[in-house]
mmCIF file of all heavy atoms in Angstrom:
data_model
loop_
_atom_site.group_PDB
_atom_site.id
_atom_site.type_symbol
_atom_site.label_atom_id
_atom_site.label_comp_id
_atom_site.label_asym_id
_atom_site.label_seq_id
_atom_site.Cartn_x
_atom_site.Cartn_y
_atom_site.Cartn_z
ATOM 1 N N ALA A 1 109.693 95.825 112.564
ATOM 2 C CA ALA A 1 108.379 95.453 112.057
ATOM 3 C C ALA A 1 107.881 96.533 111.105
ATOM 4 O O ALA A 1 108.262 97.700 111.209
ATOM 5 C CB ALA A 1 107.400 95.285 113.221
ATOM 6 N N GLY A 2 107.042 96.119 110.168
ATOM 7 C CA GLY A 2 106.406 97.073 109.266
ATOM 8 C C GLY A 2 107.176 97.315 107.985
ATOM 9 O O GLY A 2 108.124 96.607 107.654
ATOM 10 N N ILE A 3 106.743 98.349 107.281
ATOM 11 C CA ILE A 3 107.360 98.711 106.002
ATOM 12 C C ILE A 3 108.585 99.593 106.242
ATOM 13 O O ILE A 3 108.756 100.133 107.335
ATOM 14 C CB ILE A 3 106.351 99.429 105.077
ATOM 15 C CG1 ILE A 3 105.852 100.731 105.704
ATOM 16 C CG2 ILE A 3 105.190 98.514 104.721
ATOM 17 C CD1 ILE A 3 104.969 101.567 104.790
ATOM 18 N N PRO A 4 109.427 99.763 105.226
ATOM 19 C CA PRO A 4 110.587 100.649 105.386
ATOM 20 C C PRO A 4 110.147 102.070 105.754
ATOM 21 O O PRO A 4 109.148 102.579 105.246
ATOM 22 C CB PRO A 4 111.246 100.619 104.005
ATOM 23 C CG PRO A 4 110.854 99.290 103.441
ATOM 24 C CD PRO A 4 109.452 99.068 103.935
ATOM 25 N N THR A 5 110.900 102.682 106.646
ATOM 26 C CA THR A 5 110.614 104.054 107.072
ATOM 27 C C THR A 5 111.282 105.041 106.120
ATOM 28 O O THR A 5 112.137 104.657 105.314
ATOM 29 C CB THR A 5 111.152 104.293 108.493
ATOM 30 O OG1 THR A 5 112.593 104.181 108.453
ATOM 31 C CG2 THR A 5 110.580 103.300 109.491
ATOM 32 N N ALA A 6 110.912 106.304 106.249
ATOM 33 C CA ALA A 6 111.560 107.349 105.452
ATOM 34 C C ALA A 6 113.051 107.382 105.761
ATOM 35 O O ALA A 6 113.873 107.594 104.866
ATOM 36 C CB ALA A 6 110.914 108.698 105.734
ATOM 37 N N HIS A 7 113.414 107.136 107.006
ATOM 38 C CA HIS A 7 114.834 107.104 107.394
ATOM 39 C C HIS A 7 115.558 105.956 106.691
ATOM 40 O O HIS A 7 116.668 106.126 106.193
ATOM 41 C CB HIS A 7 114.957 106.974 108.913
ATOM 42 C CG HIS A 7 116.362 107.022 109.413
ATOM 43 N ND1 HIS A 7 117.147 108.152 109.337
ATOM 44 C CD2 HIS A 7 117.130 106.063 109.982
ATOM 45 C CE1 HIS A 7 118.345 107.889 109.841
ATOM 46 N NE2 HIS A 7 118.354 106.632 110.237
ATOM 47 N N ASP A 8 114.901 104.781 106.630
ATOM 48 C CA ASP A 8 115.482 103.649 105.908
ATOM 49 C C ASP A 8 115.718 104.025 104.449
ATOM 50 O O ASP A 8 116.781 103.766 103.888
ATOM 51 C CB ASP A 8 114.541 102.432 105.927
ATOM 52 C CG ASP A 8 114.348 101.821 107.295
ATOM 53 O OD1 ASP A 8 115.216 102.004 108.167
ATOM 54 O OD2 ASP A 8 113.313 101.156 107.485
ATOM 55 N N GLU A 9 114.695 104.613 103.841
ATOM 56 C CA GLU A 9 114.779 104.966 102.421
ATOM 57 C C GLU A 9 115.889 105.979 102.161
ATOM 58 O O GLU A 9 116.586 105.894 101.152
ATOM 59 C CB GLU A 9 113.436 105.502 101.937
ATOM 60 C CG GLU A 9 112.359 104.440 101.913
ATOM 61 C CD GLU A 9 111.036 104.956 101.377
ATOM 62 O OE1 GLU A 9 111.048 105.814 100.472
ATOM 63 O OE2 GLU A 9 109.996 104.480 101.861
ATOM 64 N N HIS A 10 116.065 106.909 103.075
ATOM 65 C CA HIS A 10 117.100 107.934 102.924
ATOM 66 C C HIS A 10 118.506 107.330 103.001
ATOM 67 O O HIS A 10 119.403 107.728 102.267
ATOM 68 C CB HIS A 10 116.921 109.013 103.995
ATOM 69 C CG HIS A 10 117.988 110.060 103.983
ATOM 70 N ND1 HIS A 10 118.081 111.013 103.004
ATOM 71 C CD2 HIS A 10 119.018 110.274 104.822
ATOM 72 C CE1 HIS A 10 119.129 111.782 103.232
ATOM 73 N NE2 HIS A 10 119.718 111.356 104.334
ATOM 74 N N ARG A 11 118.699 106.360 103.883
ATOM 75 C CA ARG A 11 120.013 105.753 104.105
ATOM 76 C C ARG A 11 120.373 104.696 103.078
ATOM 77 O O ARG A 11 121.541 104.402 102.871
ATOM 78 C CB ARG A 11 120.053 105.099 105.487
ATOM 79 C CG ARG A 11 119.973 106.055 106.623
ATOM 80 C CD ARG A 11 119.909 105.378 107.970
ATOM 81 N NE ARG A 11 120.562 104.075 108.019
ATOM 82 C CZ ARG A 11 120.381 103.191 108.968
ATOM 83 N NH1 ARG A 11 119.569 103.436 109.957
ATOM 84 N NH2 ARG A 11 121.018 102.037 108.956
ATOM 85 N N ALA A 12 119.375 104.102 102.444
ATOM 86 C CA ALA A 12 119.595 102.920 101.616
ATOM 87 C C ALA A 12 120.262 103.217 100.283
ATOM 88 O O ALA A 12 119.953 104.204 99.626
ATOM 89 C CB ALA A 12 118.269 102.215 101.357
ATOM 90 N N PHE A 13 121.151 102.314 99.888
ATOM 91 C CA PHE A 13 121.682 102.318 98.531
ATOM 92 C C PHE A 13 120.600 101.815 97.589
ATOM 93 O O PHE A 13 120.420 102.315 96.489
ATOM 94 C CB PHE A 13 122.931 101.424 98.447
ATOM 95 C CG PHE A 13 123.407 101.184 97.045
ATOM 96 C CD1 PHE A 13 124.103 102.169 96.365
ATOM 97 C CD2 PHE A 13 123.131 99.993 96.400
ATOM 98 C CE1 PHE A 13 124.519 101.966 95.061
ATOM 99 C CE2 PHE A 13 123.557 99.776 95.096
ATOM 100 C CZ PHE A 13 124.250 100.761 94.426
ATOM 101 N N LYS A 14 119.847 100.791 98.063
ATOM 102 C CA LYS A 14 118.792 100.212 97.237
ATOM 103 C C LYS A 14 117.696 99.659 98.141
ATOM 104 O O LYS A 14 117.975 99.068 99.181
ATOM 105 C CB LYS A 14 119.365 99.090 96.372
ATOM 106 C CG LYS A 14 118.377 98.513 95.372
ATOM 107 C CD LYS A 14 119.015 97.434 94.513
ATOM 108 C CE LYS A 14 119.789 98.086 93.383
ATOM 109 N NZ LYS A 14 120.303 97.110 92.406
ATOM 110 N N LEU A 15 116.448 99.861 97.712
ATOM 111 C CA LEU A 15 115.288 99.274 98.374
ATOM 112 C C LEU A 15 114.870 98.055 97.572
ATOM 113 O O LEU A 15 114.757 98.139 96.347
ATOM 114 C CB LEU A 15 114.134 100.276 98.421
ATOM 115 C CG LEU A 15 114.423 101.583 99.145
ATOM 116 C CD1 LEU A 15 113.362 102.615 98.834
ATOM 117 C CD2 LEU A 15 114.508 101.339 100.635
ATOM 118 N N ILE A 16 114.650 96.933 98.252
ATOM 119 C CA ILE A 16 114.245 95.717 97.552
ATOM 120 C C ILE A 16 113.010 95.130 98.227
ATOM 121 O O ILE A 16 112.815 95.285 99.424
ATOM 122 C CB ILE A 16 115.390 94.689 97.467
ATOM 123 C CG1 ILE A 16 115.997 94.397 98.837
ATOM 124 C CG2 ILE A 16 116.475 95.173 96.516
ATOM 125 C CD1 ILE A 16 117.124 93.371 98.819
ATOM 126 N N GLY A 17 112.170 94.500 97.440
ATOM 127 C CA GLY A 17 110.892 94.007 97.927
ATOM 128 C C GLY A 17 109.804 94.945 97.436
ATOM 129 O O GLY A 17 110.069 96.063 96.998
ATOM 130 N N ASP A 18 108.565 94.491 97.493
ATOM 131 C CA ASP A 18 107.447 95.264 96.954
ATOM 132 C C ASP A 18 106.409 95.540 98.022
ATOM 133 O O ASP A 18 105.751 94.626 98.501
ATOM 134 C CB ASP A 18 106.815 94.497 95.785
ATOM 135 C CG ASP A 18 105.655 95.234 95.158
ATOM 136 O OD1 ASP A 18 105.500 96.453 95.392
ATOM 137 O OD2 ASP A 18 104.891 94.583 94.428
ATOM 138 N N TRP A 19 106.282 96.776 98.423
ATOM 139 C CA TRP A 19 105.238 97.169 99.362
ATOM 140 C C TRP A 19 104.296 98.172 98.705
ATOM 141 O O TRP A 19 103.625 98.953 99.365
ATOM 142 C CB TRP A 19 105.812 97.701 100.679
ATOM 143 C CG TRP A 19 106.684 98.907 100.573
ATOM 144 C CD1 TRP A 19 106.312 100.205 100.744
ATOM 145 C CD2 TRP A 19 108.090 98.928 100.304
ATOM 146 N NE1 TRP A 19 107.397 101.030 100.586
ATOM 147 C CE2 TRP A 19 108.507 100.272 100.310
ATOM 148 C CE3 TRP A 19 109.030 97.933 100.048
ATOM 149 C CZ2 TRP A 19 109.812 100.650 100.069
ATOM 150 C CZ3 TRP A 19 110.330 98.313 99.800
ATOM 151 C CH2 TRP A 19 110.717 99.649 99.817
ATOM 152 N N SER A 20 104.180 98.108 97.368
ATOM 153 C CA SER A 20 103.328 99.033 96.622
ATOM 154 C C SER A 20 101.845 98.872 96.956
ATOM 155 O O SER A 20 101.072 99.811 96.774
ATOM 156 C CB SER A 20 103.549 98.873 95.115
ATOM 157 O OG SER A 20 103.202 97.568 94.704
ATOM 158 N N ASP A 21 101.453 97.699 97.461
ATOM 159 C CA ASP A 21 100.046 97.498 97.807
ATOM 160 C C ASP A 21 99.701 98.051 99.191
ATOM 161 O O ASP A 21 98.558 98.006 99.614
ATOM 162 C CB ASP A 21 99.677 96.023 97.722
ATOM 163 C CG ASP A 21 100.502 95.151 98.644
ATOM 164 O OD1 ASP A 21 101.580 95.594 99.088
ATOM 165 O OD2 ASP A 21 100.069 94.016 98.919
ATOM 166 N N VAL A 22 100.692 98.617 99.888
ATOM 167 C CA VAL A 22 100.461 99.206 101.204
ATOM 168 C C VAL A 22 100.230 100.701 101.015
ATOM 169 O O VAL A 22 101.158 101.491 100.928
ATOM 170 C CB VAL A 22 101.666 98.962 102.147
ATOM 171 C CG1 VAL A 22 101.416 99.606 103.497
ATOM 172 C CG2 VAL A 22 101.949 97.481 102.281
ATOM 173 N N ALA A 23 98.951 101.082 100.929
ATOM 174 C CA ALA A 23 98.601 102.478 100.667
ATOM 175 C C ALA A 23 98.517 103.303 101.941
ATOM 176 O O ALA A 23 98.702 104.513 101.920
ATOM 177 C CB ALA A 23 97.277 102.547 99.924
ATOM 178 N N ALA A 24 98.241 102.648 103.054
ATOM 179 C CA ALA A 24 98.091 103.365 104.320
ATOM 180 C C ALA A 24 98.573 102.482 105.457
ATOM 181 O O ALA A 24 98.723 101.265 105.296
ATOM 182 C CB ALA A 24 96.622 103.737 104.531
ATOM 183 N N GLU A 25 98.814 103.085 106.603
ATOM 184 C CA GLU A 25 99.320 102.360 107.773
ATOM 185 C C GLU A 25 98.460 101.142 108.099
ATOM 186 O O GLU A 25 98.977 100.079 108.432
ATOM 187 C CB GLU A 25 99.378 103.304 108.982
ATOM 188 C CG GLU A 25 100.069 102.731 110.183
ATOM 189 C CD GLU A 25 101.571 102.578 110.007
ATOM 190 O OE1 GLU A 25 102.174 103.375 109.275
ATOM 191 O OE2 GLU A 25 102.134 101.650 110.610
ATOM 192 N N GLU A 26 97.148 101.283 107.962
ATOM 193 C CA GLU A 26 96.270 100.157 108.292
ATOM 194 C C GLU A 26 96.343 99.024 107.261
ATOM 195 O O GLU A 26 95.843 97.930 107.502
ATOM 196 C CB GLU A 26 94.813 100.609 108.474
ATOM 197 C CG GLU A 26 94.206 101.319 107.299
ATOM 198 C CD GLU A 26 94.436 102.830 107.294
ATOM 199 O OE1 GLU A 26 95.129 103.365 108.178
ATOM 200 O OE2 GLU A 26 93.930 103.470 106.381
ATOM 201 N N ASP A 27 96.980 99.274 106.125
ATOM 202 C CA ASP A 27 97.148 98.245 105.100
ATOM 203 C C ASP A 27 98.385 97.379 105.315
ATOM 204 O O ASP A 27 98.558 96.372 104.634
ATOM 205 C CB ASP A 27 97.261 98.878 103.706
ATOM 206 C CG ASP A 27 95.997 99.593 103.279
ATOM 207 O OD1 ASP A 27 94.914 99.242 103.796
ATOM 208 O OD2 ASP A 27 96.088 100.498 102.436
ATOM 209 N N VAL A 28 99.246 97.768 106.231
ATOM 210 C CA VAL A 28 100.484 97.015 106.470
ATOM 211 C C VAL A 28 100.134 95.658 107.060
ATOM 212 O O VAL A 28 99.457 95.571 108.091
ATOM 213 C CB VAL A 28 101.432 97.771 107.428
ATOM 214 C CG1 VAL A 28 102.678 96.945 107.723
ATOM 215 C CG2 VAL A 28 101.811 99.120 106.850
ATOM 216 N N PRO A 29 100.570 94.583 106.410
ATOM 217 C CA PRO A 29 100.292 93.252 106.968
ATOM 218 C C PRO A 29 100.880 93.117 108.375
ATOM 219 O O PRO A 29 101.960 93.635 108.665
ATOM 220 C CB PRO A 29 101.005 92.300 105.996
ATOM 221 C CG PRO A 29 101.186 93.080 104.747
ATOM 222 C CD PRO A 29 101.317 94.510 105.163
ATOM 223 N N GLU A 30 100.168 92.425 109.245
ATOM 224 C CA GLU A 30 100.602 92.272 110.632
ATOM 225 C C GLU A 30 101.981 91.630 110.736
ATOM 226 O O GLU A 30 102.762 91.952 111.614
ATOM 227 C CB GLU A 30 99.578 91.432 111.397
ATOM 228 C CG GLU A 30 99.795 91.435 112.891
ATOM 229 C CD GLU A 30 98.673 90.731 113.613
ATOM 230 O OE1 GLU A 30 97.503 91.007 113.320
ATOM 231 O OE2 GLU A 30 98.987 89.896 114.476
ATOM 232 N N GLN A 31 102.303 90.720 109.819
ATOM 233 C CA GLN A 31 103.576 90.007 109.854
ATOM 234 C C GLN A 31 104.685 90.729 109.077
ATOM 235 O O GLN A 31 105.777 90.200 108.944
ATOM 236 C CB GLN A 31 103.454 88.607 109.258
ATOM 237 C CG GLN A 31 102.378 87.681 109.789
ATOM 238 C CD GLN A 31 102.261 87.640 111.284
ATOM 239 O OE1 GLN A 31 101.523 88.415 111.823
ATOM 240 N NE2 GLN A 31 102.955 86.757 111.950
#
């Protein structure tokens, strides 16, 4: 659940999808 973690970002070859509108933890959509 949630946005990609720093660990995800470190391991990934590529990040796909747009979570630029999530500025803070409370901005993460529930789904």
Side-chain angles (χ1 to χ4, degrees):
I3 61 174
T5 65
H7 184 67
D8 293 337
E9 292 182 35
H10 176 72
R11 293 176 28 196
F13 170 77
K14 186 178 278 187
L15 301 166
I16 53 179
D18 181 16
W19 60 96
S20 62
D21 59 341
V22 179
E25 189 70 31
E26 57 272 3
D27 295 336
V28 177
E30 191 173 312
Q31 307 315 90

